[in-house]
Amino acid sequence: MISFKSVFKTLSGKEVLKNISFEVNRGDIHTILGPTGSGKSVILKHIIRLLEADNGLITYDGKDISNFSGVELEKYRADFGYLFQSGALIAWLTVGENVALPLIEKTKMSISQINKRVSDVLNLVELTGCEDKMPDELSGGMLKRAALARAIINNPKVILLDEPTSGLDPIMSRKIDNLIKRLHSISDITIVMVTHDLISAFSVSDRITMITDGAIRFHGTVKDFCESRDEYVMEFIKSQTPRHMDNTINKEQ
Amino acid sequence: MQLQYESEYFNENNIISNLGRFVLINIRNSGRGVLMVLEAIGFFPLFYRRWNELIRQMFIVSLKSFGIVSLVALFTGMILSLQAGIELREYGQEMRVGTIVAESMFREMGPFMAALILAACVGSAMAAELGTMAVSEEISALQVMSINPVYYLVMPRIMAMLIMCPALTTYTNVIGVIGGGAVASSQLDVEWRVYFDYARMYLDMKEIFVGLFKSLVFAVIVSGVGCYQGISARGGAVGVGIATRRAVVISFLLVISVGYFITRSFY
């Protein structure tokens, strides 16, 4: 569905993507995993065309996305929902207005239809009754869920999630994971998630691509990832495994 | 259109190349800024779809600057009246101080003072607000939703400024003339009636319209520079600070220089 072929990108003199090639299959939850600053979010920004590749090819359903402009680009972006790391809700709009924004600006739906849709989506993300709250009145978890509601309001085919669990406590992180799984099960959409949270990646993903220093380190299923003998992958898994569990694993081995 | 601000990294060892880079970067950014303003003006026919935001921006423009405009206008008129009146009294012509104050205020000082205050109060706020939106990815979020940030954010701000700047300029002119009259009557012994008669005598429509024309041009400069600096800000809180400072400095320089060329072209 989405394919990267030998993509390179340099930002402010630093090569942030080096020969990136991978594919995201339709209906998968595909996680891009890696340490902070490894170029994960840059990949998402390339998919949605907030950034352009210096070299290489990115395709969506076989079409080169760099050729899209004007109405074509608008139609392409309409297939996507994007959850930004910070939430990126407009500060002076209420939660309801933020969630309704894509419908108000880009559809001809009536106000009552929009209100109904906003209410349904807020129910789905467990923010019922928060329509009139301002973004600065929300907790971190609520903010992410409100932003997720905005990302899914227009029934996208693909959702791009940039660090959906960053800055959240473990309980709220698992709630977000469950929400992602529920969204996927309801509509069978494709989800591309960027994270460095291994628990989150393991609990929701079908496939994992690991990026380090702008290059692909691993690409495969969750099972393959767990069984990988790559030193960095093993170190990454070990670093996020609590010590007492690490001892248990060693004893079992 | 591309809204990223050109990065300004220079080679420490080569002055010539640094100078060339500086000139190129500024020409490119000026061009992008002008294109952004033209794009925003192109969206003016769609203002009714951003009616609420337009009203909100008009309210912000007037509220943020009303108090300080009143004070500055009053004292500008008083200073003009005092300075001119003292000289005119040497020749026994102090009754003509009304003409000088009115001509100066309507032709030059009114639009100029209003624009500088708007640049400091409103232009800087626009740069800070849009800059914060840019660094917190709110502008990227609009782009992802295929909502043009120039239509959604810049158009209502420039339009609000175009409506409110001439209104504030007219208010500045009137308050300035009243301030001048207060000094003329209290310190120069010129009656209010005489002061206003002389103020009206030489003030023709040309002065009023040139002043209003200036205020329209200054409105575009202040809001355009503020919006462009904000929308192209990068690099977190530091970037927002730099954008805000640049917005004020560039607006001041453009208002002063463009004001001179407009005066020169009409007189």
Side-chain angles (χ1 to χ4, degrees), chain A residues 97-114:
Chain A
E97 289 166 341
N98 263 293
V99 175
L101 191 57
L103 300 183
I104 293 169
E105 291 295 330
K106 290 290 154 189
T107 68
K108 288 176 180 166
M109 287 169 76
S110 66
I111 296 295
S112 59
Q113 286 173 315
I114 290 173

Side-chain angles (χ1 to χ4, degrees), chain B residues 14-262:
Chain B
N14 194 331
I15 296 168
I16 303 291
S17 83
N18 285 350
L19 186 66
R21 186 182 290 275
F22 176 80
V23 171
L24 283 176
I25 286 170
N26 282 296
I27 289 173
R28 200 178 309 180
N29 283 329
S30 306
R32 284 180 184 160
V34 170
L35 285 176
M36 187 205 72
V37 169
L38 292 176
E39 191 182 352
I41 292 170
F43 283 121
F44 276 5
L46 300 175
F47 78 94
Y48 61 91
R49 284 163 63 176
R50 302 284 297 129
W51 182 250
N52 288 345
E53 181 63 10
L54 178 63
I55 298 292
R56 193 177 81 96
Q57 288 302 325
M58 284 168 63
F59 181 69
I60 290 171
V61 170
S62 54
L63 188 77
K64 277 194 173 164
S65 50
F66 186 77
I68 193 158
V69 159
S70 305
L71 267 180
V72 171
L74 190 72
F75 281 101
T76 304
M78 289 165 74
I79 291 165
L80 275 174
S81 182
L82 194 60
Q83 289 286 357
I86 289 167
E87 292 302 318
L88 288 171
R89 195 157 55 184
E90 298 278 315
Y91 307 98
Q93 296 292 317
E94 65 268 29
M95 78 289 281
R96 295 184 187 276
V97 72
T99 305
I100 290 175
V101 172
E103 291 262 337
S104 306
M105 285 304 297
F106 276 81
R107 193 190 283 186
E108 203 63 54
M109 295 307 285
F112 181 68
M113 297 311 290
L116 291 192
I117 292 162
L118 285 172
C121 296
V122 182
S124 61
M126 284 179 181
E129 188 178 25
L130 298 188
T132 307
M133 288 185 75
V135 299
S136 62
E137 297 185 306
E138 288 171 46
I139 289 173
S140 297
L142 289 175
Q143 288 175 310
V144 167
M145 291 183 273
S146 294
I147 299 169
N148 188 330
V150 176
Y151 152 75
Y152 194 78
L153 300 169
V154 179
M155 179 267 283
R157 283 167 173 77
I158 292 183
M159 199 171 205
M161 193 71 107
L162 274 169
I163 295 167
M164 295 312 297
C165 191
L168 277 168
T169 299
T170 306
Y171 174 73
T172 306
N173 293 340
V174 171
I175 295 293
V177 171
I178 290 171
V183 167
S185 68
S186 64
Q187 294 183 43
L188 301 169
D189 297 325
V190 178
E191 281 182 40
W192 278 96
R193 187 185 53 78
V194 175
Y195 174 82
F196 281 116
D197 282 346
Y198 272 98
R200 279 187 309 210
M201 195 180 296
Y202 292 101
L203 190 66
D204 56 24
M205 294 308 280
K206 186 182 175 188
E207 261 83 44
I208 295 170
F209 282 119
V210 168
L212 289 177
F213 174 71
K214 272 186 188 175
S215 74
L216 289 172
V217 175
F218 294 163
V220 173
I221 288 172
V222 170
S223 53
V225 170
C227 288
Y228 179 70
Q229 290 299 328
I231 217 164
S232 56
R234 292 189 297 180
V238 175
V240 176
I242 291 170
T244 308
R245 180 177 55 80
R246 275 186 179 149
V248 175
V249 171
I250 295 170
S251 293
F252 272 38
L253 290 175
L254 283 176
V255 164
I256 289 168
S257 52
V258 171
Y260 165 76
F261 286 109
I262 293 175

Side-chain angles (χ1 to χ4, degrees), chain A residues 162-179:
Chain A
D162 192 354
E163 304 273 11
T165 59
S166 72
L168 302 181
D169 63 74
I171 295 169
M172 185 50 71
S173 298
R174 300 301 73 82
K175 268 191 178 180
I176 296 281
D177 292 344
N178 291 334
L179 186 57

